[in-house]
Amino acid sequence: MEIVALEAVAAEIEPPQAPLPPPPAPLPPPRARGDFRTEMQARIADFRRHQERFEREREEYCAATLTKLRAAIRDASGPPAKK
């Protein structure tokens, strides 16, 4: 008969840690009051130019479409076909 000795070992298992999120981006330095005003004026001017471009393109498209439509009507209303 053989006697075997067993020894109990207790070990704590730590769950794997999720990687830490990256630190937040540093805040930009506060702007001077004049800088904010200048930036807003520039953005508004850009927006107005953009809207004016859209309006100009719409007008050109409309004029071109009406020209094509009038030409098609003029061509279709040529001499009546004989039956």
Side-chain angles (χ1 to χ4, degrees):
M1 174 169 195
E2 186 176 328
I3 299 176
V4 178
L6 296 176
E7 185 177 327
V9 178
E12 282 190 37
I13 299 174
E14 294 181 19
Q17 292 183 351
L20 295 175
L27 294 175
R31 297 183 195 160
R33 185 169 175 88
D35 289 344
F36 180 76
R37 182 177 180 86
T38 303
E39 181 181 345
M40 288 305 298
Q41 287 174 335
R43 287 179 182 240
I44 290 168
D46 287 343
F47 178 79
R48 284 186 180 147
R49 278 194 301 275
H50 197 83
Q51 293 301 312
E52 289 168 358
R53 188 185 108 219
F54 279 152
E55 186 173 349
R56 188 172 52 253
E57 289 174 356
R58 272 194 306 270
E59 292 294 327
E60 291 170 359
Y61 176 77
C62 182
T65 303
L66 286 176
T67 302
K68 290 177 188 176
L69 178 63
R70 289 180 183 131
I73 291 171
R74 191 173 41 247
D75 292 344
S77 66
K82 293 184 180 180
K83 290 186 179 180

